[in-house]
Amino acid sequence: MDVVVHRSLKEVDAGRWDALLGPRGFYAATPWLRHAEGTAATPPYYFTAFDDHEPVGVLPGYPLEHGTPYVFCSPDRVIDTIHRSATGEDAPWTAELLPALACGGRNPSHTKAGMHGGLDRGRQRETLSALVRAAEREAWAADLQAVSFLYVDEDDDLLRGVLTDHQYLALPGQTAYSMLVPDDGSFDTYLAGFEQRRRVKIKRELRALDEAGVTYLTQPLSADIIEQLAPLELALYAKHSTPANADAFRAVLHSIADHAGAAARVTTAYLDGHLTGFVLTFTHQGEMYARQAGFDYEAQGKLPIYFGLVYYELLRTALAEGLSQIHYSTGSDRVKLSRGCTPRRQIAYVKARRAEHMEQLSQLAKRCDKSASLDLS
């Protein structure tokens, strides 16, 4: 099986690439890849496996250097976080895993490779193996220090098995959340899925929003709306004491509008005509992906605009458009569970170039396995 490597998305057949990506695959699909390439310090890699001149598998990869702003996709930061969680100590050696090749999409959720659904299981494994070998070959040739697949879904048995075969170390990752959209198109069906106490609480929130006159609008991501969104996201960062750069935020949104505008939309909430919240989403192959949000906390007061906007209004939109799922990425575990999201555990896979780093990763994996066993006992 041949694997062709490109360093520009212009050289890739976007339609054939995207056709190989299934559920949860947006961040490995070309709308997002165009944005990621436009904001990359080093040109990404695009690996395409061919079987008799027919593309049967695809995988994106991103070289990440020291100081990369994409810390949640960088193995040094992710492995250090896992190390601290397992041992209570920092792991300064993880800095030596950079520069690295981050495979499967530059976003902290759902690391994916694309695969032709018509292949049998054995041929699918061969295809993934060819893609993984090609990624490693390019990484070592470029003197990178690690190859990573950091957000592999627990139920992606095929990719997990191939990475294990290729001696990648598996470490406990994040938990991603998705909301199934009722296939009967009914918001009442969504409500019926909760126990009575939670159902009463959600109805109370909906009533409070309705009585306050909160309204919503979904629109394309444009230059005009970006300027209105920036203060709201910066307010979110400030609330959580997270450093933020207003210019960098605007630049990211302008890049998304330029490169992924056909998939990107902004849903906004208004109170008395005043913009009080937004959530940026992508719609791709019948699924919605919620990416980032922001709020005017002073204007909204105690109104549950976060829940009304990020969960209830997005669900209404998904119901109206016949979408199957809304993906909410990682974090805010209790909140997402409380609004009907389903958790999906993820595993971080890493392979280091140097033997000493593989040994350190192996020891960390054993430590994590031991901690997990203690938790279950």
Side-chain angles (χ1 to χ4, degrees):
M1 186 170 294
D2 297 324
V3 176
V4 176
V5 184
H6 296 293
R7 299 301 301 274
S8 169
L9 203 57
K10 294 178 181 179
E11 301 168 351
V12 172
D13 185 325
R16 299 178 85 181
W17 178 289
D18 289 345
L20 298 176
L21 290 159
R24 298 170 243 154
F26 172 72
Y27 293 109
T30 57
W32 180 257
L33 297 183
R34 284 192 292 270
H35 158 67
E37 180 176 303
T39 54
T42 304
Y45 292 87
Y46 305 104
F47 302 98
T48 304
F50 286 86
D51 187 3
D52 193 22
H53 306 292
E54 179 72 17
V56 292
V58 293
L59 177 72
Y62 297 88
L64 299 180
E65 299 82 9
H66 290 281
T68 176
Y70 310 109
V71 293
F72 296 110
C73 302
S74 187
D76 66 323
R77 165 72 177 269
V78 172
I79 303 306
D80 180 63
T81 299
I82 295 170
H83 189 279
R84 278 190 278 109
S85 177
T87 70
E89 301 174 352
D90 293 336
W93 57 269
T94 63
E96 298 174 11
L97 296 174
L98 291 181
L101 184 65
C103 293
R106 200 189 67 196
N107 182 271
S109 75
H110 307 304
T111 294
K112 289 290 180 181
M115 182 65 57
H116 194 295
L119 299 179
D120 62 38
R121 183 83 173 179
R123 199 58 172 159
Q124 287 182 345
R125 290 183 68 90
E126 291 177 25
T127 301
L128 274 180
S129 290
L131 291 169
V132 171
R133 284 195 301 271
E136 289 181 23
R137 185 168 57 248
E138 294 295 329
W140 305 154
D143 204 28
L144 306 183
Q145 298 304 307
V147 180
S148 65
F149 295 73
L150 295 178
Y151 299 90
V152 179
D153 291 335
E154 183 179 31
D155 59 359
D156 194 344
D157 295 335
L158 191 65
L159 180 55
R160 292 182 60 191
V162 167
L163 292 175
T164 298
D165 289 346
H166 285 265
Q167 286 79 54
Y168 281 73
L169 275 301
L171 298 164
Q174 298 288 322
T175 299
Y177 293 86
S178 300
M179 182 188 292
L180 285 172
V181 179
D183 56 13
D184 65 357
S186 171
F187 195 91
D188 287 339
T189 301
Y190 163 73
L191 290 174
F194 295 93
E195 49 86 20
Q196 183 178 7
R197 185 176 179 181
R198 176 63 62 185
R199 188 162 59 246
V200 168
K201 180 177 177 60
I202 292 174
K203 287 183 176 179
R204 187 184 305 123
E205 290 170 345
L206 290 166
R207 186 166 54 252
L209 293 164
D210 186 56
E211 291 174 351
V214 175
T215 59
Y216 305 96
L217 176 66
T218 296
Q219 58 191 298
L221 182 64
S222 65
D224 290 340
I225 194 66
I226 287 171
E227 293 306 311
Q228 299 176 52
L229 303 182
L232 301 185
E233 179 146 357
L234 295 175
L236 176 68
Y237 291 150
K239 180 180 180 180
H240 296 284
S241 302
T242 302
N245 182 307
D247 291 337
F249 166 75
R250 291 186 180 92
V252 166
L253 287 188
H254 280 292
S255 174
I256 290 173
D258 290 342
H259 297 107
R265 292 186 293 184
V266 178
T267 300
T268 45
Y270 297 86
L271 178 62
D272 296 329
H274 177 76
L275 177 63
T276 56
F278 84 91
V279 57
L280 172 67
T281 66
F282 301 100
T283 303
H284 185 72
Q285 293 186 353
E287 298 182 314
M288 183 185 292
Y289 299 76
R291 184 171 188 269
Q292 60 200 86
F295 301 90
D296 184 333
Y297 294 100
E298 182 177 352
Q300 72 180 36
K302 294 184 179 181
L303 281 172
I305 286 180
Y306 167 76
F307 294 115
L309 177 62
V310 176
Y311 297 98
Y312 312 144
E313 183 61 20
L314 289 191
L315 178 57
R316 291 189 190 100
T317 300
L319 288 167
E321 297 179 356
L323 306 180
S324 61
Q325 292 194 70
I326 305 173
H327 299 295
Y328 285 99
S329 191
T330 60
S332 303
D333 304 68
R334 293 178 62 184
V335 171
K336 290 172 180 174
L337 287 172
S338 76
R339 293 310 182 277
C341 292
T342 300
R344 180 174 286 106
R345 192 169 66 94
Q346 297 182 318
I347 298 93
Y349 287 88
V350 183
K351 187 172 187 178
R353 184 176 188 176
R354 293 162 58 181
E356 60 265 35
H357 293 148
M358 284 297 287
E359 177 61 25
Q360 288 166 313
L361 289 166
S362 177
Q363 291 301 317
L364 176 56
K366 292 176 182 176
R367 184 74 174 265
C368 291
D369 286 343
K370 183 178 180 180
S371 297
S373 299
L374 292 173
D375 289 341
L376 291 172
S377 63

